[in-house]
Amino acid sequence: MSRTAVCAAAHEAVAGIADGATILVGGFGMAGMPTTLIDAIIEQGAAELTIVSNNAGNGDTGLAALLAAGRVAKVICSFPRQADSYVFDRLYRDGMVDLEVVPQGNLAERIRAAGAGIGAFFCPTGVGTPLASGKEIRTIDGRDYVLEYPIRGDVALIAAHLADRAGNLLYRKTARNFGPVMATAATLTVVEVSRVVETGGIDPETVVTPGIFVDRILDLSSIPAARTEAAS
């Protein structure tokens, strides 16, 4: 029997997420951003969150909406500033949110390391910059490397294209981005998908994230508002 729960509503998918949780949020900008799950977190009320994502929000939706609601204490990301990151910019300048900048490759590898059970790793990226301040530096074969530690999540919120009832996931193009590594690195993985099919309805050769890593699925096709929004 599958351990993955297919949730009938968004509030069920995010139930039990606690104040102070570290949440891994998939998305490269808005590509693959689990906006329905993020909106559900806003309604659910969890606060003092640490958000780990590629960037710090776009416009007024998704992560930006969560930030604007005052629910985020810290952001760990690679690109905190861009043309439409005005919500984060304001909060950061006002001292309302903390920031840890992590080079994008390091971010992906630190999350992957958590999922793979790796205790730490040495990486050359960031050596000689403020990002390596206070970290162990080791010379290996004549090159300096900085010691990096895994980033684990209490929760991962990701978006995929299809899921089957066993939790196997198929992503669509660049919306895949951080989803696969985040799914492995969290205690609770929650996924919003365009559609849920029966187990076996996804060709095993195309499965990217096996269902063993997925705890809850929100089927957007079963939510009228989500269907309307997707169509627009």
Side-chain angles (χ1 to χ4, degrees):
M1 181 177 293
S2 171
R3 60 185 287 276
T4 304
V6 178
C7 301
H11 72 270
E12 294 179 12
V14 301
I17 295 176
D19 291 352
T22 294
I23 303 182
L24 314 178
V25 180
F28 193 89
M30 294 304 294
M33 176 70 66
T35 53
T36 303
L37 292 174
I38 293 172
D39 288 346
I41 288 285
I42 295 172
E43 294 183 13
Q44 184 254 26
E48 293 296 311
L49 303 172
T50 294
I51 297 297
V52 182
S53 193
N54 176 69
N55 67 334
N58 302 82
D60 299 303
T61 60
L63 280 182
L66 188 65
L67 284 157
R71 304 295 176 74
V72 180
K74 181 178 181 179
V75 174
I76 301 174
C77 72
S78 298
F79 297 98
R81 297 195 64 198
Q82 52 200 43
D84 59 353
S85 61
Y86 45 83
V87 172
F88 173 81
D89 284 357
R90 173 177 56 81
L91 292 172
Y92 183 72
R93 291 177 187 277
D94 291 345
M96 301 298 290
V97 63
D98 292 331
L99 171 66
E100 179 182 343
V101 176
V102 181
Q104 190 175 70
N106 285 17
L107 183 69
E109 183 63 9
R110 289 177 67 185
I111 296 169
R112 190 197 72 82
I118 295 171
F121 62 93
F122 283 97
C123 179
T125 306
V127 171
T129 75
L131 298 181
S133 178
K135 298 180 179 180
E136 179 183 343
I137 306 295
R138 184 175 298 185
T139 302
I140 303 172
D141 289 335
R143 187 177 186 183
D144 288 342
Y145 293 79
V146 61
L147 183 65
E148 299 284 3
Y149 289 92
I151 298 176
R152 298 179 178 85
D154 298 303
V155 182
L157 302 181
I158 62 177
H161 179 48
L162 296 178
D164 67 17
R165 292 188 176 277
N168 299 304
L169 303 180
L170 171 66
Y171 301 86
R172 186 176 185 275
K173 300 181 178 180
T174 57
R176 171 173 173 170
N177 53 73
F178 289 86
V181 291
M182 288 182 171
T184 71
T187 302
L188 174 71
T189 295
V190 186
V191 186
E192 64 177 63
V193 298
S194 300
R195 184 163 53 95
V196 174
V197 300
E198 294 301 320
T199 301
I202 301 175
D203 181 347
E205 294 294 334
T206 65
V207 169
V208 179
T209 297
I212 189 67
F213 295 113
V214 177
D215 299 288
R216 300 175 187 171
I217 298 170
L218 178 64
D219 183 356
L220 297 182
S221 71
S222 68
I223 304 175
R227 287 202 302 267
T228 300
E229 185 174 309
S232 64

